[in-house]
């Protein structure tokens, strides 16, 4: 019996023990995008890249089904995008704006929750994020992606190091199988594993705004 005087049901104990120690309720991080492309002020080169990404997304069926590109690119069907640049340059806002333009919700995966203290759970959480985004047809957004997609460790000697390498491998496998839209954001693109970055279709650099852009940003807030 327990301290409350109630005996534990063996079935209840078994079910409790099977519950993932670090399970994430992804529904808490699924939301309607708050910003549109009208809210985004970007340098011309960056904005042009964003417009091209949006065009590919809007005509994805035409390109991959009617034009037959899907037969030539059977792997890596995901439209994968990486936004890199200093904090405050509009990476998250632009991800939301793209989701808004596509009339989709955005699943903002929380790194702090994704990175589990339990060895082996982080790769499972990544797989579940992709599954949840597929089910809800949401734009999948990983912020601080360099935190768990850094260069692979060599001379692996500990189980935690093995888990770090496994996390990168699982992400690459998920990218190969996923058919949705996934956006990564990082302040430190140089920390990425080269094997991962080579799988990304669009790589967009976000720079700090110049004086003209700062004026436009200020005007947009008035």
């Amino acid at each position: 019996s327990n301290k409350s005087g109630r005996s534990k049901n063996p079935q209840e104990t078994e079910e409790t023990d099977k519950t993932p120690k670090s399970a994430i309720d992804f529904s808490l991080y699924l939301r309607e995008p708050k910003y549109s492309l009208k809210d985004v002020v970007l340098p011309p080169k960056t904005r042009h890249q964003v417009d091209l990404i949006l065009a590919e997304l809007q005509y994805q069926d035409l390109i991959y089904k009617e034009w037959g590109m899907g037969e030539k690119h059977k792997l890596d069907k995901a439209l994968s995008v990486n936004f890199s640049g200093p904090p405050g340059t509009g990476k998250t806002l632009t991800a939301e704006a793209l989701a808004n333009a596509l009339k989709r919700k955005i699943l903002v995966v929380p790194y702090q929750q994704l990175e589990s203290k339990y060895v082996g759970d982080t790769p499972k959480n990544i797989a579940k994020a992709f599954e949840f985004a597929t089910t809800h047809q949401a734009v999948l957004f990983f912020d601080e992606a360099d935190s768990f997609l850094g260069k692979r460790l060599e001379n692996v000697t500990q189980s935690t190091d093995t888990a770090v390498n496994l996390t990168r491998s699982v992400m690459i496998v998920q990218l190969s199988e996923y058919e949705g839209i996934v956006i990564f954001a990082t302040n430190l693109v140089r920390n990425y594993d080269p094997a991962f970055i080579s799988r990304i279709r669009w790589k967009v650099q976000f720079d700090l705004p110049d004086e003209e852009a700062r004026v436009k940003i200020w005007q947009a807030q008035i």
Side-chain angles (χ1 to χ4, degrees):
S1 62
N2 55 24
K3 291 183 180 180
S4 65
R6 183 173 67 87
S7 298
K8 284 189 175 181
N9 184 319
Q11 182 178 358
E12 177 183 289
T13 303
E14 182 180 349
E15 289 177 353
T16 302
D17 291 342
K18 288 182 179 180
T19 302
K21 297 183 179 68
S22 59
I24 301 173
D25 183 359
F26 284 107
S27 63
L28 297 175
Y29 306 99
L30 181 69
R31 65 179 187 237
E32 294 286 349
K34 296 179 289 187
Y35 303 102
S36 72
L37 287 170
K38 293 180 181 178
D39 301 313
V40 181
V41 178
L42 299 170
K45 181 180 178 181
T46 306
R47 182 55 187 254
H48 180 62
Q49 284 185 290
V50 170
D51 289 340
L52 289 175
I53 292 169
L54 181 59
E56 181 174 340
L57 290 169
Q58 290 174 328
Y59 294 101
Q60 203 167 23
D61 285 345
L62 174 66
I63 295 170
Y64 288 93
K65 293 180 181 178
E66 294 186 32
W67 290 359
M69 293 295 288
E71 288 299 313
K72 294 184 178 181
H73 299 275
K74 293 183 179 181
L75 296 177
D76 300 325
K77 292 181 180 178
L79 196 139
S80 51
V81 182
N82 185 73
F83 291 163
S84 58
T89 49
K91 299 185 296 293
T92 301
L93 189 148
T94 302
E96 289 207 22
L98 279 173
N100 190 322
L102 295 165
K103 297 180 172 56
R104 297 194 184 202
K105 291 184 178 181
I106 185 168
L107 177 62
V108 182
V109 181
Y111 164 69
Q112 294 83 356
Q113 297 293 325
L114 189 71
E115 188 77 351
S116 172
K117 63 182 178 180
Y118 298 104
V119 175
D121 273 2
T122 303
K124 293 177 185 177
N125 288 337
I126 289 173
K128 288 175 183 176
F130 278 91
E131 180 182 352
F132 189 90
T134 298
T135 300
H136 295 272
Q137 295 187 320
V139 171
L140 183 55
F141 180 60
F142 290 96
D143 201 1
E144 300 180 74
D146 58 281
S147 299
F148 55 94
L149 290 171
K151 296 182 176 75
R152 295 177 66 85
L153 299 175
E154 298 179 0
N155 303 318
V156 176
T157 56
Q158 298 179 0
S159 61
T160 50
D161 293 341
T162 302
V164 168
N165 286 347
L166 178 60
T167 296
R168 288 132 179 89
S169 298
V170 166
M171 179 63 80
I172 289 173
V173 170
Q174 289 295 325
L175 277 176
S176 297
E177 298 174 351
Y178 188 56
E179 297 188 10
I181 304 159
V182 55
I183 302 174
F184 300 91
T186 177
N187 302 332
L188 299 167
V189 69
R190 65 181 179 276
N191 286 359
Y192 273 153
D193 180 350
F196 163 72
I197 199 67
S198 67
R199 297 294 185 97
I200 301 299
R201 191 179 307 175
W202 287 93
K203 304 172 185 70
V204 184
Q205 174 66 32
F206 284 69
D207 296 318
L208 291 169
D210 57 19
E211 184 176 351
E212 181 182 354
R214 290 197 297 271
V215 171
K216 290 180 179 178
I217 293 171
W218 178 254
Q219 291 173 338
Q221 307 306 313
I222 298 176

